[in-house]
Structures are given as C-alpha cells and as structure tokens.
Amino acid sequence: MRRPRVGLVVNPVAGLGGRVGLGGTDGPERVRRAVELGARPLAGARAAQALRALRARLAVEDLEVLTAPGPMGADAVRAAGLVPVVVRVAGAAIGDDTTTVAVGSNAACADATGAGAASAGATPTAPVATASVVITTPAHTTSAVRALVDAGVDLLLFAGGDGTARDVLRALPGEGSERCPVLGIPTGVKMHSAVFAVGPAAAGEVAGAWLDGSGGVRLRDAEVMDRDEGALRDGRVASRLFGWLPVPDVPARVQQRKTGSTAATGDASTGIAAEVAGRVGEGPLVLGPGTTTRAVATALGADASLAGVDVLALRAGRADVVARDTGEAELLARIGAGPCWIGLSPIGGQGFLLGRGNQQISPRVLRAAGGRDRLLVLCPEHKLAALGGRPLLLDTGDPELDAELSGYLPVLTGHRRVSLYPATH
C-alpha cells in the first residue's frame, strides 16, 4: 500500500501587502512597493506551520510531500522538517542556483530562487527577483498545480489567498468530484472563499484527518470567491463567485464563505456609536475595515474608508479621521506607548475578527494597544445571530496571542447593549 501523497504549492507573494496596508499584491510593481514599505513574506512560513501540524497527525514515514521547487514549496517543506519530492514544472526551470537576500527571520523564504512555469496559452518567463522575494505569476501557480495533479497527489494544499484559489480552480482538470481534493492554507489578505482552513495549523489538522482516512471525513464543494471591485467602488463590500472546488468537510476547522454585507440600521449604528464614544471618551480609536465599522464612523461624524484601517480622534462624542488606510508601522507610531482602543467588526458569514483583511492590526499593534482589554467588537444583533452560534475567529499569525484573545469577548450591539460571545483560533 503506497503512502499518502500530499501536494503543496506556495504563492510566495501572497499576503505581502497586508501589514503595510496595500491589500493584495497582484503584479511585480505592487510587490516591489510592498517591500519598499517594509513588507515581509509570510506565505512560506505559514505553509511550513501547516506541514508541522500535518506531521503531528501522520508519521513522517507515512507521508510523501510532492511540491514545486524553491519558494513555491520545497523551501517550506524543508522548513517543516520534511524531505520534499520536487516535481518538474513545465517551462523555465525553477532551480536552486539563484539566491537572493533572506527577508527578516522567515527561514521558509530564505532561499528565493528563480522560477518558471507554463500555462495554457502562455509560456511565462522566470519570476522576477527583487532584493527580498521571488515574484511569481498566476501562470507559475497553474503550471505547478497541473504538475502535482499529474504526479498523482491525493490532496493538494495551496498557500495563498483568493487570487491563488482562482488560479487553482483554473488549473484543475475535470468538474466537481472528478477534481483532485484541495485545501487552502490561508496566507492572503481577504480570503472570502470557503476553500481555506481557519488557520495554518488547522490546515494541517484537516489534511491529516483526510489523508489517514480514519475520521470519516467527506468532501464538499466549496465556493471560490473574490472581492467584487466594482461593488467596492460603489461603497459596498461584496464577493463574486467563480466556481467550486472539493475540500475536506471539517466544519469547525474549514472557514465559511463571506456573505454579502448588510449595513447596520441607522438605529443600530447610532446606538453602537454612542457606546463607542462613551467607552473611548477623548482619544484615538483604530478602526478596522468593513460596512459595519464604516456605518459606526459615519454615525460619529467621520468619513472612514471601507476597506482600510483608519485612525480616528474622538472628542465630545464626535470623530475625525486623522490617518486613512494605514499600515502596521503608522499604527505603531500613532499608538506609541498606548493604550489605545481598537474597533473591529467580524466578517459576515465567516466570523473572522482578526486575520482577514485587517493584517495591519498585527500582533505588535494589538499588544501595544493593550491586548484584549482594548478591543471593541462592534456587531449589530442581526449580524451576530447570522453566525448561528459559531464562534468569532482569530488568526493573527501569533498562536500565543490568539490563545490570549480567545474566550468570551464583549460585543457591542447597541447603546448600553453588550453580548458576551465566544472567540477562538
């Protein structure tokens, strides 16, 4: 009986713009701008974290990990203490002979190598290397996916965001259950799709449960979504459906898709705003993205951004935006020695409070602000009820901080209306 085969594809630039406030990093110029602003690649490290969780579930001798060369997979496999089986990817070779400068302390991305691949109708050139990170394209991802499926993997893990999920959807042959099962390791910024685990460790746990066959895990068709940029320009947060992919069905460890945003009623927004003003008093408020937070800001008299993290100054029950679309560095500078209030609203349908679309509010920012005692969770009752009792989710990238923030959090649902609601990671 052959060993289970898991495939791994890493998008090295996925999520690169999150902490610096750039959102997605599609295209080499945006990647370069993110690096200039101090961004550090996290995809390889999060992929390695998932593989370590998989190792804890399956014995090493019972596992075969097939992957693409260098930063598209092999580096992360080695960082997890496993030996990669590197497949040949069509097109320009992804070799181990070109090394760039390591970024930060991310060992999984220390060897940034030249890479290349081919997709239907296109022959991409080798990825463009900056001083810090290899820049791959969708064509490299689709070619790597096809090579791994052709090699006969039982489950394909991919580390990326919604854009990477769309690349995987395009690359996989067949329809519905004919396709190779997949599971996303969340390393992007938004991740509206339902093909991702709730965190890297959860991805490894779910992969192990599926591969060992002992847990009765079945497959379900999960939505591949991405943000509707046209709706965002119209002042709405909405997602577009691009298709479905088969994923292992472990409800507590695989995220739901994002549902369409429904603005809080005027009364709800005004009530939550009054509660926020009473708690903050006079001083700064870091406000996360979303329809709910924007409606609350409007009720306070401020024109906050819809998809960015802003800093508001409150005084006498009113607010002004003093910094718009901030990144981690600016937030740290404005918080200073702290403390500082942070207002967040969970993502509709998913329940994520941290780690989806607000990576600027990093573990460093959260600790500088004062931790869980300085969190204001803003959520009208109908939005909270729509979660159906599922907990709020935390994926800050720091497991210790996620554990500190877990438990029952006070949720502001109106003026002098607070619900205690569970949060977990």
Side-chain angles (χ1 to χ4, degrees), residues 248-264:
D249 187 16
V250 183
R253 306 305 280 158
V254 178
Q255 72 179 42
Q256 303 293 310
R257 69 177 178 88
K258 184 196 182 305
T259 58
S261 59
T262 301

Side-chain angles (χ1 to χ4, degrees), residues 266-280 295-301 314 317 378 412 414-415:
D267 287 346
S269 299
T270 301
I272 295 173
E275 191 66 20
V276 168
R279 290 176 182 243
V280 174
V296 170
T298 299
L300 289 168
L314 272 70
L378 319 177
L412 311 187
H415 185 37

Side-chain angles (χ1 to χ4, degrees), residues 31-413:
V31 172
R32 290 190 182 96
R33 178 58 181 154
V35 172
E36 289 171 1
L37 291 172
R40 297 292 181 264
L42 299 173
R46 284 171 72 86
Q49 184 182 350
L51 292 177
R52 284 191 287 270
L54 176 58
R55 279 189 63 185
R57 174 106 190 190
L58 294 179
V60 173
E61 60 270 17
D62 294 335
L63 182 64
E64 192 174 9
V65 184
L66 282 65
T67 189
M72 289 194 70
D75 293 346
V77 176
R78 294 187 184 100
L82 296 166
V83 178
V85 178
V86 181
V87 300
R88 183 183 182 279
V89 178
I94 305 175
D96 291 328
D97 55 347
T98 304
T99 303
T100 61
V101 177
V103 177
S105 59
N106 185 355
C109 294
D111 293 328
T113 60
S119 67
T123 302
T125 59
V128 181
T130 70
S132 302
V133 64
V134 167
I135 304 172
T136 57
T137 68
H140 297 115
T141 300
T142 56
S143 190
V145 167
R146 289 170 182 148
L148 290 171
V149 172
D150 288 345
V153 297
D154 300 304
L155 175 69
L156 175 70
L157 294 175
F158 68 92
D162 286 327
T164 311
R166 290 169 60 184
D167 297 338
V168 172
L169 177 67
R170 283 192 295 268
L172 284 180
E175 296 289 338
S177 60
E178 300 174 359
R179 286 180 160 141
C180 174
V182 307
L183 182 64
I185 303 167
T187 65
V189 177
K190 308 176 303 295
M191 290 165 289
H192 292 181
S193 302
V195 297
F196 294 98
V198 298
E205 295 164 9
V206 172
W210 167 254
L211 291 169
D212 72 16
S214 63
V217 178
R218 298 183 179 182
L219 297 176
R220 69 173 174 89
D221 287 336
E223 298 93 336
V224 176
M225 316 279 292
D226 208 345
R227 189 166 67 189
D228 186 330
E229 298 298 334
L232 188 64
R233 287 190 292 271
D234 292 337
R236 296 181 294 111
V237 178
S239 300
R240 290 181 56 196
L241 174 66
F242 289 87
W244 290 266
L245 286 171
V247 303
D249 187 16
V250 183
R253 306 305 280 158
V254 178
Q255 72 179 42
Q256 303 293 310
R257 69 177 178 88
K258 184 196 182 305
T259 58
S261 59
T262 301
T265 64
D267 287 346
S269 299
T270 301
I272 295 173
E275 191 66 20
V276 168
R279 290 176 182 243
V280 174
E282 294 190 6
L285 169 68
V286 174
L287 195 66
T291 305
T292 299
T293 49
R294 191 185 196 192
V296 170
T298 299
L300 289 168
D303 181 21
S305 58
L306 184 58
V309 174
D310 297 345
V311 180
L312 278 57
L314 272 70
R315 181 169 182 168
R318 304 291 290 175
D320 294 305
V321 176
V322 295
R324 186 181 298 272
D325 290 331
T326 58
E328 178 193 41
E330 183 171 2
L331 290 175
L332 287 170
R334 288 187 174 273
I335 291 171
C340 176
W341 292 98
I342 297 178
L344 301 169
S345 187
I347 294 178
Q350 291 183 331
F352 274 99
L353 191 64
L354 286 162
R356 299 293 186 273
N358 57 12
Q359 286 89 343
Q360 305 96 311
I361 305 174
S362 66
R364 290 178 66 198
V365 169
L366 288 161
R367 288 196 168 98
R372 67 178 288 146
D373 291 340
R374 287 285 161 166
L375 281 183
L376 296 175
V377 183
L378 319 177
C379 188
E381 290 178 349
H382 74 274
K383 185 177 180 181
L384 200 61
L387 292 175
R390 288 182 286 111
L392 303 178
L393 296 171
L394 308 163
D395 183 19
T396 66
D398 183 332
E400 290 185 4
L401 181 59
D402 288 341
E404 291 172 17
L405 298 177
S406 294
Y408 281 84
L409 294 175
V411 178
L412 311 187
T413 61

